[in-house]
Amino acid sequence: DLMSNRIQALRMYCSKATHEKRVDVVRRLVRLAQQGDRPERKTKFAAAASLIERFNLDRQAFPEVLRHKLACWLCYVVHRMPVTMAEDYAEGDPHLLALIISQLVRAGSTNSAAALYKKNESLLAGILEPSLLASIAETAAFIEPLGDRFGPSRESALVLPLPEERVIFVDDAHGAQLAEKAIARAVVVGVDLEWSARGDWPESELALMQIATPERVFLVDLAAERMEQPVGA
């Protein structure tokens, strides 16, 4: 379509342009996105993000694009995660909090939406749409606000079957070698991987490898700088 052709043309232009010209193109797209309606914002911000990624531009230099990607990501995952985690991602931004509440209501999680609103009521004053506020007002009147403690719902989940001294944190080559020797001797090995909830763009990044033998558990920090060489070997 027409927009796809335009994006392709911008990519071709930027492929031969200087770094400064590429940055200028992205900044122009950001300005157009901020001036357009919702479909135009989505299209222009997506084009800007595509150019930033394609030509390895400094992502932190375009906070508007980062914020738009975060908002899109929250719309997709907010009803699949604990509401306290979603609140953390908003980092006190009232508009992102309002977005989370609207998505929770849309997903039928009125109690969570009301609890989040009640905790951040002062930040959200005058921001929520009247219809959205009306949909959670009755629930917010009696529900407890979100607490600050984040953890598993069952306390037993915090109890390890092994003594704590047998849980070994690995963040360098020496630790990786010790873990490798222990794993090679084990009769059975369990492996679990954890991704960061979002990277700096935001995109998930592999962050932690959990390796369990009957005698030990190794927590391998894949994001540690000292692990780059052993992990890649």
Side-chain angles (χ1 to χ4, degrees):
D1 59 11
L2 180 60
M3 192 60 207
S4 296
N5 291 337
R6 289 177 177 174
I7 294 174
Q8 186 62 31
L10 285 174
R11 287 176 177 172
M12 292 180 63
Y13 169 79
C14 288
S15 67
K16 300 178 181 179
T18 63
H19 173 78
E20 290 73 18
K21 291 289 186 181
R22 292 170 179 171
V23 170
D24 182 62
V25 168
V26 174
R27 294 202 185 283
R28 287 172 182 263
L29 283 170
V30 169
R31 286 197 295 271
L32 290 172
Q34 293 172 327
Q35 296 167 7
D37 56 18
R38 184 175 180 178
E40 289 178 338
R41 286 200 303 274
K42 182 178 180 180
T43 302
K44 299 295 193 305
F45 273 126
S50 174
L51 293 177
I52 292 169
E53 293 171 355
R54 190 180 187 89
F55 297 104
N56 197 28
L57 303 180
D58 181 7
R59 297 174 176 183
Q60 302 305 317
F62 306 99
E64 306 91 345
V65 181
L66 175 59
R67 189 178 185 279
H68 177 77
K69 285 181 67 69
L70 174 57
C72 292
W73 181 80
L74 282 172
C75 287
Y76 179 69
V77 303
V78 68
H79 60 287
R80 308 180 186 186
M81 63 170 62
V83 65
T84 46
M85 186 181 295
E87 180 190 23
D88 286 344
Y89 291 138
E91 296 183 338
D93 185 320
H95 294 283
L96 289 179
L97 288 170
L99 174 66
I100 292 169
I101 290 171
S102 69
Q103 292 299 312
L104 288 171
V105 170
R106 182 177 297 180
S109 302
T110 307
N111 286 353
S112 294
L116 181 59
Y117 168 74
K118 195 164 185 178
K119 181 179 178 182
N120 297 278
E121 190 170 355
S122 60
L123 283 175
L124 293 164
I127 292 179
L128 291 185
E129 293 288 337
S131 59
L132 178 60
L133 185 56
S135 68
I136 61 173
E138 184 177 347
T139 305
F142 65 83
I143 200 168
E144 289 292 323
L146 289 177
D148 290 327
R149 178 182 177 274
F150 177 73
S153 57
R154 294 182 292 109
E155 291 296 328
S156 60
L158 298 174
V159 180
L160 291 171
L162 289 175
E164 188 173 342
E165 61 268 18
R166 294 194 182 182
V167 178
I168 302 167
F169 193 74
V170 178
D171 65 349
D172 59 20
H174 177 66
Q177 290 168 356
L178 294 178
E180 182 182 6
K181 292 178 181 178
I183 294 165
R185 295 193 301 267
V187 177
V188 61
V189 176
V191 179
D192 186 29
L193 300 174
E194 301 290 346
W195 278 258
S196 61
R198 64 180 181 89
D200 62 351
W201 194 219
E203 291 170 354
S204 295
E205 297 176 347
L206 190 57
L208 181 70
M209 179 186 296
Q210 302 165 83
I211 306 174
T213 71
E215 292 80 26
R216 291 182 176 84
V217 173
F218 298 94
L219 303 179
V220 185
D221 184 1
L222 300 177
E225 290 185 10
R226 292 181 295 180
M227 286 296 293
E228 290 181 4
Q229 182 177 347
V231 169

